[in-house]
Amino acid sequence: MLSEAAAMTNSIEPPDIPHRPVLLRESLDLLSVPRGGMAIDCTVGGGGHARALLEAVGPSGRVVGLDRDAESLARAAGALRDFEDRFLPIHADYRDLSRIAAERGLGRVDAILADFGFSSLQMDDPGRGFSFSADGPLDMRLDRSQGETAADLLATVDETELTRLLRQYGEEPRAPRLARAILRARSAEPIRTTRQLANIVEKTSPRTSGRIHPATRVFQALRIAVNDELEGLERFIEEACRLLIPGGRAAFIAFHSLEDRKVKQTLVRLVPHCVCPPSLPRCVCGTPGIVDLVNRKAVRPSDAELRANPRARSARLRAARRREEQA
């Protein structure tokens, strides 16, 4: 029977399309992965970050790669076949990290990385439905083996709920007007393709001189809703930090303000802080926290990276270091 890595390697060959891991050097610098260490890439994607981690830990180290997108994981396994058993790909949602670590007996690890963005391979594949640059089915699922598609969602959602999704997940100021227009178009014919949806939005809210297409926030909102991206994010960040050895580091790359805000707020909650009532004359809670912040201000892509990869423009990187445990 083939190993997990071998099975995935044989299923899909490495892609010829170049993949550019975002904030690669900055991530490695903040993680400071030791030689011979164990690292987990919770969102392995195209495998760019995982490759760098494998090179950092050296021939005696190991990297575990999780991804809920089986196709991306298989491609990464193929691209990283030269590392053989030092790379272990696992088809799983990053929010299942604690369960996976327990089932696989991973113990505490030296470094954890989570890049919450989408790879160019996913974005540029019309069949995935993440982008409106080419027409394709309105899918948007990261794991195509389960769950409803964006087309399914639009077929049943009511105006109130769609307005909420566009406002909350897309931060769309024209949410009510766009929701009405989308449902009005749905009453004439089902909305099944990316081009259909993008055209509806553009007719309702025409493109201005700005660079952002008017459908960008709508697609973001639907993608977040379909993949339930924000649900359990705080819990995952805390569990990732608790899985680190003392001195181990975790890094998180977010691509929109909703994610970055949750990363920032969760890490701040996990650092030492006082939770005593303000009426007390001094701190008696003894809340030690479990991490220290490695960087207090989010790291952003350099001008050089943005010239090479404009899609990195919204990336924000934050990292934390596990504190020594209290006796």
Side-chain angles (χ1 to χ4, degrees):
M1 185 176 195
L2 290 172
S3 68
E4 200 162 359
M8 289 187 172
T9 297
N10 289 341
S11 63
I12 299 180
E13 290 298 312
D16 296 326
I17 305 171
H19 168 68
R20 297 180 184 273
V22 172
L23 291 166
L24 179 61
R25 177 50 49 193
E26 293 85 347
S27 298
L28 290 179
D29 288 345
L30 292 182
L31 285 173
S32 189
V33 190
R35 300 289 286 182
M38 164 77 81
I40 302 177
D41 184 344
C42 295
T43 49
V44 75
H49 287 113
R51 174 177 292 277
L53 289 170
L54 283 160
E55 292 170 349
V57 298
S60 59
R62 295 181 66 209
V63 172
V64 175
L66 310 181
D67 207 293
R68 62 195 294 194
D69 183 342
E71 296 160 57
S72 292
L73 190 67
R75 289 191 181 97
L80 300 173
R81 60 161 63 101
D82 291 345
F83 293 95
E84 299 178 336
D85 291 340
R86 294 204 296 112
F87 176 64
L88 174 61
I90 300 174
H91 182 212
D93 190 313
Y94 64 81
R95 288 167 290 198
D96 292 331
L97 175 62
S98 289
R99 176 181 62 80
I100 295 297
E103 290 177 354
R104 299 288 177 140
L106 299 180
R108 307 281 282 276
V109 301
D110 298 279
I112 293 176
L113 173 66
D115 175 348
F116 300 120
F118 289 76
S119 73
S120 295
L121 300 173
Q122 292 167 320
M123 293 296 294
D124 294 337
D125 181 354
R128 303 303 300 268
F130 291 120
S131 172
F132 42 80
S133 59
D135 199 20
L138 199 58
D139 193 317
M140 296 194 186
R141 291 172 300 169
L142 274 171
D143 184 349
R144 290 200 277 186
S145 68
Q146 59 184 330
E148 68 173 7
T149 66
D152 294 332
L153 188 157
L154 288 181
T156 58
V157 70
D158 62 30
E159 184 178 326
T160 300
E161 177 63 6
L162 183 55
T163 299
R164 183 190 71 81
L165 294 177
L166 297 181
R167 181 179 287 136
Q168 181 176 338
Y169 295 155
E171 299 180 294
E172 174 55 72
R174 298 153 296 188
R177 178 152 55 105
L178 288 171
R180 286 193 296 272
I182 291 170
L183 295 196
R184 187 164 56 247
R186 182 185 72 183
S187 67
E189 62 175 332
I191 303 172
R192 296 197 178 103
T193 72
T194 56
R195 187 64 54 78
Q196 271 182 284
L197 179 59
N199 287 343
I200 293 166
V201 174
E202 195 163 17
K203 287 177 183 177
T204 308
S205 181
R207 184 194 293 263
T208 63
S209 58
R211 293 170 53 193
I212 299 178
H213 190 282
T216 300
R217 293 189 180 93
V218 173
F219 272 66
Q220 173 181 301
L222 293 178
R223 191 202 72 224
I224 291 174
V226 165
N227 294 291
D228 209 11
E229 292 177 29
L230 298 179
E231 182 65 29
L233 186 56
E234 299 100 322
R235 176 179 55 81
F236 159 71
I237 293 169
E238 179 169 349
E239 290 179 351
C241 290
R242 292 189 181 278
L243 194 60
L244 296 169
I245 65 169
R249 299 185 177 198
F252 308 94
I253 302 174
F255 283 80
H256 56 76
S257 59
L258 297 173
E259 283 176 340
D260 184 54
R261 191 177 305 130
K262 284 182 176 288
V263 173
K264 178 181 179 180
Q265 291 173 347
T266 304
L267 292 180
V268 168
R269 177 173 59 80
L270 296 176
V271 302
H273 61 286
C274 176
V275 295
C276 294
S279 58
L280 291 181
R282 61 185 178 84
C283 175
V284 296
C285 67
T287 306
I290 64 170
V291 300
D292 292 314
L293 300 181
V294 176
N295 58 314
R296 292 193 171 274
K297 185 176 181 181
V299 175
R300 302 179 65 174
S302 65
D303 291 340
E305 179 169 5
L306 291 177
R307 286 193 294 271
N309 183 17
R311 286 178 173 173
R313 65 183 179 274
S314 61
R316 303 290 184 272
L317 168 64
R318 300 181 187 273
R321 178 178 54 250
R322 186 72 156 92
R323 292 172 62 82
E324 296 291 333
E325 296 178 346
Q326 302 297 308

